[in-house]
Amino acid sequence: MIGMDDLYRELILEHYRHPRRRGWLDHPDVSAEEHNPLCGDRVRIDLRIENGIITDARFDGRGCAISQASASMLTDEIVGMPVEQAKQFSKDQLLALIGIPLNHNPVRIKCALLPLKTLKVGLYGVGHVPDEDEM
Amino acid sequence: MTANVSMTLFDIVALRREFPILNQSVNGNVLAFLDSAASSQKPRRVIDCLEDYYRRYNANVHRGIYRLSEEATFAFERARGKVARFINARSQREVVFVRNTTEAINLVARSWGDANLREGDRILLSIMEHHSNLVPWQMLAQRTGAKLEFLPIDGEGRLALDNLDAQLEGVRLVAITQQSNVLGTINPVAEIAQRAHAVGALVLVDGAQSVPHMPVDVQALDIDFLAFSGHKMCGPTGIGVLWGRRTILEQMPPFLGGGSMIKVVGLHESTYADIPARFEAGTPAIAEAIALGEAIDFLQEIGMDQIYAHERELLGYALERLTEVEGLRVYGPRTTDMRGGAVSFTLDGVHPHDVAAVLDGEGIAVRAGHHCAQPLHAYYDIPATTRASFYLYNILEEIDRLVVALRKARTLFG
C-alpha cells in the first residue's frame, strides 16, 4: 500500500510551498491552459522558444499540491530542452521526476499529469495532442 | 475534547455491526466512512436480499407463467408498494423504477418537457442544483427554446425567495433540490410548490439527498415529481425512483421504447402500456428493486425521524468542532436548523484533494472536488471543497478523528 508519506514526499511539499517559475511570460511563443474537470485543477504554461530550444518557461494555475508541484518541476526540467525532445517527454519520465509511484491512485496520477498535458497541448497545437495513455 | 457514543436514540453499536464494510481498517485505522452523500453503505440484509434473489428465484418479471417468474414478479411489485408507502404516494402506479435520480430527471425532461415546453417558456432552478438537476434542463432548453431561470442564495447558503413570485412569471416547471449535496441546506419545498402551483407551474423535487435522511411525504409537500436513488439510502446501485402525480404521468408519452412498455405492437405503430410500465422499457433491475424494498424496511424499522435526529446531533457536533480548526471555512448554514448532514469546507493553504488524501491516510473517507455542483463553486469562487457527510451509522468519535486529521493537514502543508 502506498501511504500518504510516499505521496507527499518532501520534494513535492517543497515545490508546492515554494514553486519555481510561477508566473506568465510577456508575449510567449507558446501558451496553453488545461483543466481537470473532475477536480477543477487548472494549469497554464507559457514558453519562450528560440531556434527550436525552450529557453524560458513559466506556469500558473491552481490546484492540489501534486498538480502544482508537478508543474513547478516540469517547467524547471524543460528549460534548455529542444522542442522535439520536450514533445517526447513521457508520463513515466514525469512521474519519475516528481517521485510518484506509477501504481498510485489513478485520480492522483491525473493531477500529476495535468501540467504535462498542458505542455503537449502547447507544443503540438490544438487537435494534435496525444492521449494520456500514449504520453 | 472527545465525544462518547451513547447519545443516540438507537443502539448505534449494534447498528454498525449490521454494516459488514464498516468492520475494516484503512491505512492502519478503523474505517471512518464520511461520504454517504455520494453513496451509502449497505446493511447485511440488503446484501443478502440480492443474493437470495439470484440463488433462489431469479427469473424475468411480468412474463413467465411459472413459479420462479411469479415469485420474482411478486417481489418486484411488492418493492414498488414499499416505495409508494415510504413516500406516501396515493398509488403504487405512481412509482416508476429507473436507474437513479439522474435518469428520473432526464425522463421528465424528455417526456414531459419535449411534449409541453415551447419557445419562451421558463424553467426555474436554483444555483445550488446538482448537475443532474441542471444539465437535463439545459438540453431541454436547447431543444425547445425554453429559458432557464435561477433562484439565488443568501449569505448563509439558503435560497433567497424574496423575488420568488416575480421569478415565477412565465414559469412552467420549477425543478429544485430538497437538500443541497454541498451546502446541506434543506429547502422549503412545500412553500415553493404552493407558490409555483398558484401560477400553474409544475414542481419537480430532486430528493437524492433528502429521501435517505428524513421523512418525505409527497402529498404533504404537494409536489408533482420526486426523483431519488436507491444507493444513497442503503440500497443497491442501478435502482432509483421517479414518483409522479398520476394525472400527469398518464398524460406523458413514453421515454424509451421497447419491451414491457407496450400494449399492442404492429409493424408500423404500437399502443403503449399504462403507467408505470409505459416508462419501464426492457428488463428492469429486478434484484436491485427488491433489495431497495429491503433497504426501505430497514430504514423504517429504525424510523426516519430517528435517523434525522441522529444525523442532526452529528451535524451540530461537527459544526461546533470544526470551528476549532484554524483556517477552516464551512459553506452553508451554520446551524442545524433546516440543514442536513453534508458539511463542505475549505482549509486555508491546503487544496481539498490534499485534505482528502491526508484524511485517507488516517482511514477517514471524505470527498473532494466540486461534487457535481460547478456553478455553486463558481458562485463562491472556489475550485473545490472537501465534504464530510453523515448517515445513520456514523458516530461522534469519527468527527473527533476528523478534527485531529484536519489539524494534521494544516501542519503538514502550513
Side-chain angles (χ1 to χ4, degrees):
Chain A
M1 177 170 303
I2 301 151
M4 198 183 65
D5 295 338
D6 296 321
L7 186 58
Y8 294 112
R9 295 170 341 122
E10 199 47 47
L11 181 65
I12 288 178
L13 289 173
E14 170 58 22
H15 273 266
Y16 179 61
R17 291 185 189 122
H18 307 292
R20 328 284 197 262
R21 301 185 176 279
R22 184 182 276 283
W24 294 18
L25 291 177
D26 287 333
H27 309 292
D29 297 298
V30 167
S31 180
E33 181 170 315
E34 283 293 304
H35 301 243
N36 179 347
L38 288 176
C39 56
D41 284 3
R42 189 173 74 199
V43 169
R44 168 186 161 137
I45 292 180
D46 288 357
L47 301 177
R48 175 91 58 230
I49 295 172
E50 292 166 54
N51 302 320
I53 309 277
I54 297 171
T55 56
D56 201 357
R58 290 284 184 277
F59 83 96
D60 196 13
R62 59 183 188 183
C64 65
I66 308 295
S67 71
Q68 302 301 299
S70 168
S72 175
M73 284 185 252
L74 178 66
T75 44
D76 230 14
E77 183 73 10
I78 58 174
V79 169
M81 192 180 276
V83 167
E84 288 312 309
Q85 193 187 333
K87 279 185 173 178
Q88 303 305 317
F89 199 87
S90 73
K91 173 167 126 182
D92 292 2
Q93 278 175 284
L94 179 74
L95 294 178
L97 178 70
I98 62 180
I100 291 185
L102 286 168
N103 59 347
H104 194 74
N105 177 342
V107 175
R108 300 321 299 278
I109 295 278
K110 264 199 182 318
C111 299
L113 293 181
L114 181 63
L116 184 61
K117 188 178 171 205
T118 311
L119 175 70
K120 300 224 171 165
V121 167
L123 292 178
Y124 281 84
V126 177
H128 298 87
V129 186
D131 285 346
E132 200 169 273
D133 293 341
E134 299 162 3
M135 287 197 305
Chain B
M1 179 173 171
T2 300
N4 68 65
V5 295
S6 61
M7 75 335 174
T8 203
L9 305 159
F10 42 85
D11 182 350
I12 190 77
V13 177
L15 181 120
R16 283 175 65 87
R17 277 200 293 268
E18 301 281 320
F19 290 81
I21 206 167
L22 296 179
N23 181 28
Q24 66 174 295
S25 65
V26 172
N27 295 327
N29 297 283
V30 177
L31 168 66
F33 187 77
L34 300 179
D35 193 24
S36 295
S39 195
S40 73
Q41 297 304 343
K42 325 299 176 198
R44 190 186 314 273
R45 58 193 271 189
V46 168
I47 300 166
D48 289 348
C49 179
L50 288 166
E51 184 178 325
D52 183 48
Y53 166 77
Y54 286 117
R55 293 179 74 98
R56 212 168 49 72
Y57 61 103
N58 170 52
N60 212 332
V61 290
H62 299 145
R63 282 183 272 278
I65 313 296
Y66 52 89
R67 200 183 58 80
L68 292 191
S69 178
E70 283 167 10
E71 194 173 342
T73 303
F74 177 78
F76 181 74
E77 291 302 325
R78 187 176 55 187
R80 194 190 304 277
K82 290 177 183 179
V83 171
R85 284 188 293 281
F86 186 60
I87 58 172
N88 195 29
R90 290 169 197 86
S91 157
Q92 71 176 63
R93 299 182 76 88
E94 296 182 325
V95 173
V96 181
F97 280 128
V98 291
R99 278 191 304 148
N100 46 38
T101 306
T102 300
E103 186 172 289
I105 295 172
N106 275 274
L107 192 165
V108 176
R110 285 274 174 187
S111 170
W112 180 86
D114 281 3
N116 289 283
L117 290 197
R118 299 288 172 269
E119 192 168 349
D121 285 342
R122 288 167 189 271
I123 303 167
L124 182 61
L125 313 170
S126 82
I127 70 160
M128 69 169 75
E129 297 310 313
H130 188 282
H131 296 167
S132 64
N133 195 30
L134 173 61
V135 180
W137 307 118
Q138 292 172 346
M139 292 163 68
L140 175 64
Q142 281 158 13
R143 291 196 300 275
T144 60
K147 292 268 183 291
L148 305 184
E149 299 285 332
F150 295 91
L151 288 168
I153 58 175
D154 66 16
E156 260 228 310
R158 298 188 189 278
L159 284 183
L161 298 176
D162 310 345
N163 295 319
L164 176 60
D165 291 326
Q167 284 195 286
L168 277 169
E169 211 174 298
V171 167
R172 302 286 312 280
L173 177 77
V174 179
I176 196 118
T177 184
Q178 189 169 17
Q179 181 182 315
S180 164
N181 70 313
V182 177
L183 303 172
T185 312
I186 297 173
N187 292 320
V189 169
E191 180 195 341
I192 294 169
Q194 189 186 18
R195 289 162 75 176
H197 285 157
V199 300
L202 299 186
V203 176
L204 176 143
V205 171
D206 171 356
Q209 298 293 338
S210 57
V211 172
H213 300 284
M214 67 177 94
V216 173
D217 178 330
V218 294
Q219 294 191 59
L221 295 173
D222 195 27
I223 55 179
D224 302 293
F225 298 106
L226 176 70
F228 56 100
S229 297
H231 72 95
K232 293 191 203 290
M233 49 190 286
C234 299
T237 54
I239 188 73
V241 172
L242 172 68
W243 169 85
R245 196 187 284 271
R246 182 172 182 163
T247 47
I248 299 168
L249 285 180
E250 281 174 343
Q251 300 296 319
M252 283 165 47
F255 170 44
L256 299 173
S260 293
M261 52 73 70
I262 40 77
K263 269 184 184 153
V264 181
V265 175
L267 280 179
H268 294 284
E269 57 186 336
S270 303
T271 54
Y272 306 125
D274 294 333
I275 65 164
R278 187 190 306 163
F279 302 108
E280 293 181 353
T283 296
I286 302 166
E288 289 80 0
I290 296 167
L292 173 59
E294 186 72 20
I296 287 173
D297 288 345
F298 170 77
L299 293 173
Q300 286 196 305
E301 284 168 25
I302 297 162
M304 293 310 293
D305 284 320
Q306 309 277 308
I307 291 169
Y308 181 73
H310 174 70
E311 289 178 33
R312 193 182 165 106
E313 181 141 25
L314 292 167
L315 172 67
Y317 186 65
L319 289 174
E320 179 192 317
R321 292 236 45 205
L322 287 173
T323 61
E324 297 169 21
V325 181
E326 199 190 330
L328 188 141
R329 179 182 170 188
V330 169
Y331 294 82
R334 309 305 299 270
T335 64
T336 59
D337 184 42
M338 289 290 276
R339 194 200 198 291
V343 182
S344 299
F345 55 86
T346 51
L347 192 57
D348 280 353
V350 194
H351 188 278
H353 266 199
D354 297 321
V355 174
V358 172
L359 296 185
D360 182 52
E362 305 293 316
I364 303 170
V366 297
R367 199 160 199 84
H370 52 60
H371 318 298
C372 293
Q374 279 187 38
L376 183 64
H377 284 78
Y379 170 82
Y380 284 112
D381 194 27
I382 45 175
T385 50
T386 308
R387 181 185 69 194
S389 56
F390 313 124
Y391 207 8
L392 70 168
Y393 38 67
N394 288 120
I395 51 177
L396 297 175
E397 185 204 2
E398 291 170 325
I399 295 166
D400 292 332
R401 287 174 55 195
L402 174 69
V403 169
V404 170
L406 287 170
R407 288 201 176 115
K408 181 172 175 179
R410 274 281 286 185
T411 308
L412 187 63
F413 290 92

